[in-house]
Structure formats: C-alpha cells, structure tokens
Amino acid sequence: MTSHADPASATVHGGPDLPQERRLVTGIPGPRSVELHQRKQQAVSSAVGTVLPVYAVAAGGGVVVDVDGNSLIDFGSGIAVTTVGNSHPGVVAAVTDQVAAFTHTCFMVTPYDGYVAVAERLNALTPGDHEKRTALFNSGAEAVENAVKIARSHTGRQAVVVFDHAYHGRTNLTMAMTAKNMPYKHGFGPFAGEVYRAPLSYPFRDGGRDGADAAAQAIEVIEKQVGATNLAAVVIEPILGEGGFVVPASGFLAAIAAWCRANGVVFVADEVQTGVARTGALFACEHEGVVPDLIVTAKGLAGGMPLSAVTGHAEIMDAPHTGGLGGTYGGNPVACAAALAVLEAVAADGLVERARAIEATMLPRLRALQQADPRIGDVRGRGAMIAIELVRPGTTEPDAALTAQLAAAAHADGLIVLTCGTWGNVLRFLPPLAIPDHLLEEGLDVLERIFAASR
Ligand code: PLZ
C-alpha cells in the first residue's frame, strides 16, 4: 500500500459477496474521487480519457464501489471484460495460486502448462470441429494484428478488408483497420497500407436491406477495388462493438464467409468484444452459423487479466515460420490461470443461458421505452450486449448531444453506461453476466427515469 492509498480501501474485498445494491452517499463524483481526479490530471497524460471519474475500490456481481462509498450498478463491465463478474471467486483462487507459484518465465523461454491448456480449451470451444491451433497475446489489438500476420503468411497476399464503422484497436495497423477518425486516429498517421474498407449491413440505416443483398454489395466493392487474388483476410466483428452495436442483417456474415472460402481469403472474426458468452452464445458467429477461419478473442476471456488469442485452422495458424509469432508477455501464466477459471465459470455458472436471460429482460423493457419515446430510433443487440440508437424524432439523424446528456444523467443516478457509434449517438449496455436480476431491473428503472426526465 502506498502512502496515498485510502486506508479503508485495504479492507474492502470485491467479488459477488459485495452488497448488491445501488447506493449513493455523495454526489457523483464524490469528494475523494474529485481529489483523485485532480491528482490524475497532474500525473497522467491528458490523452488518456475517463468516461466517469469515480475511482473504484471494489467491484463484483453487478456493482462497482467507489472511494466515497458509493455503489454503482455496472452496465459496462469495464468495456465487456468482466463477463463472469469482477473478482469472480474462481478467478481469484486461480490467480492467487498462480501468483504464488510463479508470475512469469516467458512462454518462448521455458513454457508452462497453463498456456497449453488455454489453447486446448479455445481449440475445443470455438466454432468448427476442424483441427485448430491457438497463439496467445496481451491485448485485443495485438491479437488482431497477429491474425493479419498469420493470414498474410498463409496466403502470400497482403491486402486486408475491413468494414464501415469497424473498430479493431489503436496500434498502427489496427488504427488503419478502425473506421472512426476521432478519437482513435486523428493526428496519428501515417497509417499502415493495404487496408481497404467495404460497406456493412446496418439494418437501421440501410432501409433493412437483406443480409445477402448487403453482402453482394460488399463483395462487389472488394472484387472491384481490391481483387480477391490480392486479398489475405477479411476481418469483421460479428456484432460491432465501438461502432455502435450494429447487428448485421441475417445472412450477411455467412455470405461474406462463403465468398472468402471460395476465393482462398482468410475469414477472421474479431470477437474481442462479442466473445466468451457475452451475446448469448459462446461466440457471436454461432448465431449466424458461421465458422471463421480465425477467431480473435480477448476482453471476456480472462476476467480482467490481460490476455488475447488467435484461434483457427491448424494449417493457417502454422503457416508463419517458427519464432515468427510471440512477445515477452503473451500468454502470461497468471492471465492463463484466470482464463481457465473464466472458461470453467462460463460452463458452471450457465453464463451463455444467463446472457440470453439478460436479453429477455432488457429488450422488451427497452422496446417499450422506444414505443413511448420517438428519440429512440433503434433498440438492438444480443445477449448482454444491448444498445439504444438515439436520433431526432422521425428521422435517422444522430443525436449525440442527447446521448451524452443521458449517459451523464445515468452516471449521476448511480448507473454506469457507455456510449458508442460512429456518431456517438448510441447508449450501450454490457452488464456483467453475474449481475443479479434485481439490479438489472433497477438499472432499467434508472434508464426509464432519465429518459422521462429528459423529455
Ligand atoms: N476489437 C472488436 O472492441 C476493444 C476499446 C476501448 P484492446 N474495444 C474497446 C478504447 O477506446 O480503446 C476492441 C474491440 C474489438 C479490438 C479491440 C481492441 O482491444 O484490448 O483494447 O486492444
């Protein structure tokens, strides 16, 4: 503990035993958070933003507790990471044991079982019963980059196709793959070459065009502007994350995947945000019956420990030369121990079903809200990945100001929500799957209240 730490925080334990309640004892942010935030501004680059400057001391189940003793309902999961719940007991035990045994050897120097076990689990759990291999990394962006390296090595081709509204990360290659300029790319060029963008199926904004039609349009762009024989990989989020929780029309993904297969192009599903039970399937591709050649996972995989993976066809994964993939920390033993505990919890706690139950609670209430409020243009999503797109009534014109106002109102009322979308006009909800029903309902009560108050 440093001299700056709040003495009270040392005695606070997180996890599901935290009181599962929304409790506001100060304004949001409270005085201790305000003080910490002033320190942050003096010490941390101002380029690292903060959605909600309440400083956490504990979290678990469906709440985040701050330094002032406020307990906020969590509809964010640290951006879709704490899917099994913060400080899940199984994760805490596995991490504690591993930390006590050894923290690092580097898998490329003297390997260990945990890495191999995570690879085996991902090979078994990801869609398709073909022979698979996995490589582990630290962040989502790093894994996406590696998927591209693997696809290039396998195909001997260079071009990469991504889609409108895509988000794939903030490293140089993944910035090029990400669609939105502000805040992700602005002033940070030049970007990596050989990245091309195709149109996406976006039912709310393309007149509900059917999936096969939208795919034909994307394929036309790819064939005319890139050429299949130049193309190493198509990389797509099965449900968009930062880009606005867009669910492509049914058939879109399958048609793109089939075209890739017919043309020797590696089809990569970026399931960094959607993977590991979040959408009411272990992987979001499953909703569309799509088996990707490579699948990228991160976020929900290790309960908050930094870990990401590329999993796919053995012959694709084995294409790069030995030593061609790696990194000092990739597949760190503590992160691997956490991932094994997460995957166990997903099965033991029935979290795929839990995500579906969360959808079944959220969608009807949000759709009822939409009936009463013409500013809600669209309610969409799957599982515990649900969003509201806000527009000027009777149009599809994005309303970012209203979105920011509603997010701030939710925060002030003790509900953590995030925004997203190319136009910043989407309110998104990503509760931990460990959230109890009464908090899920109360979070929805808060949303109803703030929508009513803003009319
Ligand atoms: N691919 C689909 O959602 C990360 C980014 C938050 P990293 N999304 C949250 C921010 O503003 O930086 C993400 C994603 C998809 C890749 C990534 C990148 O994952 O672990 O943040 O690198």
Side-chain angles (χ1 to χ4, degrees):
M1 198 169 86
T2 73
S3 57
H4 291 299
D6 168 17
S9 71
T11 61
V12 178
H13 288 271
D17 293 339
L18 274 181
Q20 295 296 300
E21 59 180 0
R22 185 177 65 97
R23 181 182 69 232
L24 297 181
V25 296
T26 69
I28 298 292
R32 289 181 173 187
S33 279
V34 168
E35 202 183 305
L36 278 164
H37 204 55
Q38 279 158 0
R39 269 177 49 210
K40 180 218 175 201
Q41 280 154 335
Q42 293 306 309
V44 179
S45 162
S46 60
V48 182
T50 301
V51 170
L52 169 58
V54 305
Y55 283 69
V57 289
V63 297
V64 174
V65 177
D66 75 8
V67 283
D68 292 287
N70 299 298
S71 176
L72 289 83
I73 299 176
D74 186 9
F75 274 13
S77 297
I79 323 189
V81 170
T82 52
T83 303
V84 296
N86 244 300
S87 298
H88 183 286
V91 173
V92 171
V95 164
T96 306
D97 285 353
Q98 182 57 50
V99 165
F102 64 97
T103 49
H104 174 84
T105 59
C106 187
F107 190 72
M108 301 183 303
V109 179
T110 52
Y112 38 87
D113 172 62
Y115 188 121
V116 178
V118 171
E120 287 169 346
R121 297 295 291 137
L122 286 171
N123 294 346
L125 293 170
T126 49
D129 50 17
H130 48 279
E131 196 174 340
K132 292 178 212 148
R133 299 285 185 271
T134 287
L136 300 179
F137 305 97
N138 302 288
S139 67
E142 191 189 0
V144 170
E145 288 228 22
N146 276 279
V148 170
K149 284 164 68 173
I150 293 162
R152 284 176 170 161
S153 179
H154 170 72
T155 57
R157 306 170 181 173
Q158 295 186 347
V160 177
V161 161
V162 290
F163 289 83
D164 285 337
H165 311 289
Y167 183 91
H168 297 294
R170 294 175 182 264
T171 58
N172 188 260
L173 175 59
T174 60
M175 269 195 294
M177 296 169 70
T178 289
K180 190 173 173 177
N181 176 49
M182 230 12 177
Y184 307 121
K185 305 167 75 163
H186 188 75
F188 297 148
F191 304 111
E194 287 305 311
V195 176
Y196 302 88
R197 198 167 303 283
L200 180 76
S201 163
Y202 191 154
F204 178 62
R205 294 190 173 275
D206 65 13
R209 181 174 197 155
D210 94 26
D213 245 37
Q217 188 198 9
I219 290 164
E220 162 93 3
V221 167
I222 297 169
E223 287 179 338
K224 297 296 175 242
Q225 298 185 18
V226 187
T229 56
N230 298 313
L231 185 54
V234 168
V235 183
I236 188 164
E237 300 155 86
I239 298 173
L240 272 70
E242 307 308 303
F245 282 26
V246 180
V247 185
S250 179
F252 182 78
L253 286 176
I256 302 280
W259 180 87
C260 286
R261 199 170 313 115
N263 289 279
V265 174
V266 178
F267 179 85
V268 182
D270 178 347
E271 294 236 20
V272 167
Q273 191 150 165
T274 52
V276 197
R278 173 56 55 188
T279 67
L282 215 38
F283 301 97
C285 285
E286 295 169 29
H287 296 292
E288 290 291 312
V290 167
V291 177
D293 296 315
L294 300 180
I295 180 163
V296 181
T297 49
K299 290 189 185 283
L301 179 59
M305 300 300 289
L307 186 71
S308 61
V310 182
T311 301
H313 275 281
E315 72 269 23
I316 301 176
M317 291 298 297
D318 287 344
H321 50 278
T322 298
L325 304 179
T328 306
Y329 294 113
N332 167 273
V334 182
C336 286
L340 292 171
V342 163
L343 294 172
E344 212 171 288
V346 166
D349 301 352
L351 293 185
V352 168
E353 296 71 28
R354 177 65 187 148
R356 291 204 199 122
I358 289 173
E359 172 184 331
T361 299
M362 293 189 83
L363 278 185
R365 284 193 61 184
L366 295 175
R367 293 212 162 115
L369 191 59
Q370 180 185 21
Q371 290 306 309
D373 196 325
R375 301 171 301 173
I376 300 179
D378 197 21
V379 173
R380 59 178 177 251
R382 282 187 161 130
M385 184 171 183
I386 304 288
I388 286 178
E389 178 157 358
L390 294 159
V391 293
R392 299 203 190 283
T395 74
T396 56
E397 200 188 314
D399 195 341
L402 174 65
T403 310
Q405 179 199 325
L406 290 168
H411 299 160
D413 216 353
L415 176 67
I416 301 173
V417 297
L418 305 171
T419 62
C420 64
T422 293
W423 298 277
N425 68 322
V426 179
L427 270 182
R428 61 169 153 171
F429 314 120
L430 292 158
L433 304 183
I435 193 171
D437 281 329
H438 74 274
L439 281 187
L440 186 64
E441 300 280 4
E442 193 179 346
L444 291 163
D445 295 342
V446 170
L447 287 174
E448 285 169 4
R449 200 153 65 226
I450 62 169
F451 270 90
S454 70
R455 275 200 284 269

